[in-house]
Amino acid sequence: MIFGADIGIDLGTTSVIVYVDGQGIVLYEPSVVAVNRSSGEVIAIGEEACRMIGRTPENILAIRPLSEGVISDFEMTEKMLKYFINKAMGKQLSIRLRPRICVCVPSGATEVECRAVEDATRQVGAREVYLIEEPIAAAIGAGIDISRACGSMVVDIGGGTTDAAVISLGGVVTNSSIKVGSNNLDDSIIRYMRKRHNILIGERSAEELKVNIGTVFERMMPIVMEIKGRNLITGLPNIVTVSSDEMRYALHEPIMSIVETVCSVLEKTPPELVADISERGIVLTGGGSLVYGLDKLISYKTGINCIIADDAQLCVAVGTGKYIEYISKHKTAGIKVRKRR
């Protein structure tokens, strides 16, 4: 039997990113599935399904089969995985049979949640399944040599979860995972717009505000943006102008949960490793780390320099893809590996 290339999958609440050994990132699409309500037939997956969110008739439902970093709909996740792997590998999948697949999971995932990910991955034809915790994957993807006897701190802010961990000698020394991520930032913006401006906006509009003027640390020059929505009093379309200062207020609650998580991990970290982190800095990864001022806010609260990793959104996927190669080189390093045949 001819075996396939190693595949790394960042199975996220918001997006699925696929890394293939020797090729790099080959797929980056929303983790959305459009289903016919009556027949259960899958109509679209990924980018096409994402465009249907908020625009579907009653008989079509656009869903996210992953919630807060873990599988909430096993059947839909399996179909979505199979579609993405086939799309990523193309004709190679029929020639290079049964690849080894590594999937990242939140550091706080339970044994049941990990088993669900393993089972879903095995069902799509994996020869071997490896699971890696998101902070470890993020560190590898950010270019950190985690095998050294030196403390490194990584904070990965994904769509549904935030994972903060201190890593040394290839393992997690101390960590914390909360179910707060980029999606919660969008929800906070939607609630703020409803309460402050009496206007209802959708997920896409909230994300536009977050990306374009989202702020968690005071800007020298505030910026503004116009956004369209439905007036809750008249029921008619309306346009309002929103400032970055308003976004700082709207995002305060979820952002402070993330900052408190970072501080709690530092409080539990051995003094020798804290000294290493103070010298090397805290590395931020994930799409949520790109919100303006988050690195400055964490630096202000902790007194430690923060660095946003290059290609922060792709770090977990790249690290997941390189993990199989990494553990092959460090078999004697005492690294805990989750593998299932």
Side-chain angles (χ1 to χ4, degrees), residues 37-55:
R37 287 177 184 268
S38 54
S39 66
E41 178 188 1
V42 174
I43 298 170
I45 297 175
E47 191 65 50
E48 185 181 351
C50 186
R51 289 195 291 267
M52 297 181 181
I53 292 178
R55 296 185 172 95

Side-chain angles (χ1 to χ4, degrees), residues 129-169:
V129 177
Y130 295 80
L131 297 188
I132 177 174
E133 293 182 351
E134 286 182 1
I136 295 284
I140 295 172
I144 297 172
D145 183 359
I146 65 172
S147 64
R148 293 178 58 194
C150 183
S152 300
M153 185 168 186
V154 177
V155 181
D156 179 63
I157 306 166
T161 60
T162 292
D163 288 270
V166 174
I167 301 164
S168 180
L169 288 171

Side-chain angles (χ1 to χ4, degrees), residues 135-312:
I136 295 284
I140 295 172
I144 297 172
D145 183 359
I146 65 172
S147 64
R148 293 178 58 194
C150 183
S152 300
M153 185 168 186
V154 177
V155 181
D156 179 63
I157 306 166
T161 60
T162 292
D163 288 270
V166 174
I167 301 164
S168 180
L169 288 171
V172 174
V173 178
T174 181
N175 70 287
S176 182
S177 178
I178 58 170
K179 294 181 177 179
V180 176
S182 294
N183 291 350
N184 300 89
L185 304 185
D186 295 340
D187 292 341
S188 288
I189 291 172
I190 291 171
R191 287 195 299 270
Y192 175 84
M193 295 299 293
R194 186 183 189 115
K195 182 178 179 180
R196 178 69 179 81
H197 293 283
N198 287 319
I199 187 172
L200 182 63
I201 63 173
E203 291 179 21
R204 284 178 173 271
S205 297
E207 187 173 8
E208 285 178 18
L209 285 170
K210 178 183 68 181
V211 171
N212 294 316
I213 65 170
T215 304
V216 299
F217 199 81
E218 188 173 0
R219 289 178 183 258
M220 293 294 291
M221 293 289 291
I223 56 176
V224 297
M225 177 180 171
E226 288 188 343
I227 199 74
K228 298 176 182 178
R230 188 177 77 235
N231 189 293
L232 292 169
I233 298 173
T234 65
L236 298 175
N238 194 14
I239 299 176
V240 296
T241 301
V242 187
S243 71
S244 55
D245 286 339
E246 288 185 89
M247 288 296 97
R248 186 155 60 97
Y249 180 80
L251 296 172
H252 178 77
E253 186 177 339
I255 286 297
M256 289 314 298
S257 295
I258 292 172
V259 173
E260 287 166 10
T261 299
V262 174
C263 292
S264 71
V265 170
L266 285 170
E267 288 170 6
K268 295 183 290 184
T269 302
E272 292 81 1
L273 296 182
V274 171
D276 292 339
I277 295 165
S278 296
E279 183 180 337
R280 295 158 63 89
I282 298 170
V283 178
L284 304 183
T285 66
S289 68
L290 302 177
V291 176
Y292 177 86
L294 183 56
D295 54 337
K296 297 181 179 67
L297 180 62
I298 294 176
S299 293
Y300 175 76
K301 293 291 185 180
T302 63
I304 300 173
N305 185 42
C306 278
I307 306 143
I308 300 174
D310 295 335
D311 296 323

Side-chain angles (χ1 to χ4, degrees), residues 5-80:
D6 295 336
I7 300 175
I9 301 176
D10 179 2
L11 192 61
T13 305
T14 305
S15 303
V16 172
I17 308 175
V18 179
Y19 177 101
V20 177
D21 183 35
Q23 299 180 47
I25 301 294
V26 296
L27 184 142
Y28 187 166
E29 293 201 29
S31 48
V32 181
V33 180
V35 186
N36 186 305
R37 287 177 184 268
S38 54
S39 66
E41 178 188 1
V42 174
I43 298 170
I45 297 175
E47 191 65 50
E48 185 181 351
C50 186
R51 289 195 291 267
M52 297 181 181
I53 292 178
R55 296 185 172 95
T56 59
E58 288 186 4
N59 65 316
I60 297 176
L61 179 65
I63 62 170
R64 296 187 184 274
L66 291 112
S67 176
E68 298 176 336
V70 294
I71 294 174
S72 57
D73 189 322
F74 183 87
E75 184 182 354
M76 287 300 120
T77 299
E78 185 184 323
K79 290 180 179 179
M80 182 177 71

Side-chain angles (χ1 to χ4, degrees), residues 322-333:
K322 292 182 176 179
Y323 183 60
I324 298 176
E325 178 187 354
Y326 174 81
I327 57 177
S328 297
K329 291 180 179 178
H330 298 83
K331 285 182 179 178
T332 60

Side-chain angles (χ1 to χ4, degrees), residues 3-8 19-23 89 92 96-101 127 324:
F3 292 129
D6 295 336
I7 300 175
Y19 177 101
V20 177
D21 183 35
Q23 299 180 47
M89 297 298 288
Q92 298 179 57
R96 299 178 176 180
L97 301 177
R98 302 186 65 201
R100 295 188 297 180
I101 299 179
R127 170 168 110 251
I324 298 176

